[in-house]
Amino acid sequence: MSDIWTIHALKYAERNSRTRADSFLFDDDHASPHDMDYFLWTLECGDRRILVDTGYDTGEGARRDRPILREPVSMLADFGWDADRIDTVILTHLHYDHAGALPAFENAKLHVQEAEMAFATGPCMCHDVLRMPFTGAHVCDMVRALYVGRVEFTSGSREIAPGVEVHLIGGHSRGLQVVRVRTARGWVVLASDASHYYENYRLGKLFPIVVDPQPMLDGFQTLRRLADSDDHIIPGHDPLVRKLYPAKTAGNTDVICLSAAPKPL
């Protein structure tokens, strides 16, 4: 089969001052520390390369007091990917930490759900609590890309390339989409923020930033339907991911291979 992809996760930031109250609604333990990792994901099949999300840059980190460890573009360069040569970027949604470095990918087609663009540019953004995870400049970057013909919209599910699909989930953001990837070990699903942590989908726990709880809860089952098993679902921000999957280079757990089999959770 020629459409077998390799997946890597690149960790570019972390937040280690969080508690479980920042991660789970209706959780009995609100006070215990609960760290968060920030990733972007690379998909590779032969000469074909697809980037999933862009991360955010130093400037955005300073504005939000959430500094990054490495510039995503610099991490990609060390990985062997030049930002200006990437021709396909899948944006799981338009929150600042997933679409915060768009200008660096000026030659890429940007794939986003129609519902997400409408949400990020519509009347919902009149409300501070809904606008908070977005940054206006990033949304403007998307609009500029749209007006030069670089945005591809999906409404629901779509094949981006043989062996790579996107599927609308919603919940966390109106147009949140997950990425289903055929690998040597089967269908892997990059959940992004459809499940920030393993606990979200495995125990049915809501993440506090939620536009609509029902799609988030229904999405946990959709993840299981799309993936070959629970071990084929990759949460979007869980530090456990780096402990379960092998490093691309020994000793460097900031770049890990998700198309390899994980350790038991």
Side-chain angles (χ1 to χ4, degrees), residues 130-147:
L130 296 178
R131 188 171 61 238
M132 179 274 295
F134 295 92
T135 293
H138 304 161
V139 178
C140 289
D141 288 335
M142 282 296 295
V143 173
R144 281 189 283 269
L146 173 65
Y147 272 76

Side-chain angles (χ1 to χ4, degrees), residues 153-168:
F153 290 109
T154 299
S155 183
S157 299
R158 179 182 182 182
E159 183 182 77
I160 303 300
V164 178
E165 305 168 356
V166 294
H167 297 268
L168 175 64

Side-chain angles (χ1 to χ4, degrees), residues 15 24 43 87 91 98-99 120 126 136 145 183 186 208 235 244 247-248 252 264:
R15 286 178 64 205
F24 308 113
L43 314 180
D87 61 15
L91 297 168
H98 294 262
C126 296
T183 71
L244 298 176
K248 182 177 186 291
N252 178 16

Side-chain angles (χ1 to χ4, degrees), residues 19-257:
T19 66
R20 288 181 64 85
D22 298 312
S23 300
F24 308 113
L25 289 179
F26 314 119
D27 190 67
D28 291 336
D29 178 4
H30 293 287
S32 294
H34 206 247
D35 297 346
M36 173 177 276
D37 283 354
Y38 293 76
F39 299 99
L40 52 148
W41 300 274
T42 65
L43 314 180
E44 195 162 6
C45 178
D47 295 332
R48 188 73 196 271
R49 293 177 170 182
I50 297 175
L51 178 67
V52 179
D53 290 342
T54 70
Y56 64 95
D57 59 18
T58 300
E60 183 69 14
R63 284 188 290 273
R64 290 184 178 262
D65 194 24
R66 296 179 180 181
I68 63 174
L69 300 172
R70 290 280 310 278
E71 288 282 358
V73 171
S74 176
M75 284 199 76
L76 284 168
D78 289 346
F79 188 73
W81 289 30
D82 295 328
D84 58 3
R85 298 183 64 184
I86 295 173
D87 61 15
T88 305
V89 175
I90 297 172
L91 297 168
T92 61
H93 57 306
L94 298 181
H95 285 177
Y96 79 95
D97 53 323
H98 294 262
L102 290 172
F105 304 93
E106 59 185 2
N107 296 314
K109 189 74 72 173
L110 308 177
H111 291 266
V112 69
Q113 287 283 334
E114 180 181 342
E116 183 69 358
M117 194 73 160
F119 181 55
T121 58
C124 288
M125 294 301 103
C126 296
H127 302 288
D128 289 344
V129 69
L130 296 178
R131 188 171 61 238
M132 179 274 295
F134 295 92
T135 293
H138 304 161
V139 178
C140 289
D141 288 335
M142 282 296 295
V143 173
R144 281 189 283 269
L146 173 65
Y147 272 76
V148 294
R150 293 200 299 113
V151 176
E152 291 278 349
F153 290 109
T154 299
S155 183
S157 299
R158 179 182 182 182
E159 183 182 77
I160 303 300
V164 178
E165 305 168 356
V166 294
H167 297 268
L168 175 64
I169 297 288
H172 174 68
S173 187
R174 189 67 50 80
L176 172 69
Q177 61 184 352
V178 300
V179 186
R180 185 176 188 239
V181 186
R182 183 185 282 116
T183 71
R185 70 180 181 104
W187 284 103
V188 169
V189 175
L190 298 176
S192 182
D193 291 1
S195 189
H196 287 67
Y197 296 91
Y198 283 102
E199 282 187 69
N200 290 119
Y201 81 87
R202 292 197 176 207
L203 299 179
K205 293 183 177 181
L206 289 166
F207 190 80
I209 299 176
V210 54
V211 174
D212 191 337
Q214 182 180 351
M216 182 179 282
L217 291 167
D218 291 346
F220 298 153
Q221 296 307 311
T222 302
L223 294 175
R224 288 182 151 126
R225 177 177 58 82
L226 293 172
D228 276 2
S229 76
D230 276 11
D231 287 339
H232 290 74
I233 298 172
I234 313 296
H237 290 274
D238 200 327
L240 273 175
V241 171
R242 294 188 300 117
K243 297 180 180 180
L244 298 176
Y245 287 88
K248 182 177 186 291
T249 303
N252 178 16
T253 61
D254 287 346
V255 181
I256 55 174
C257 182

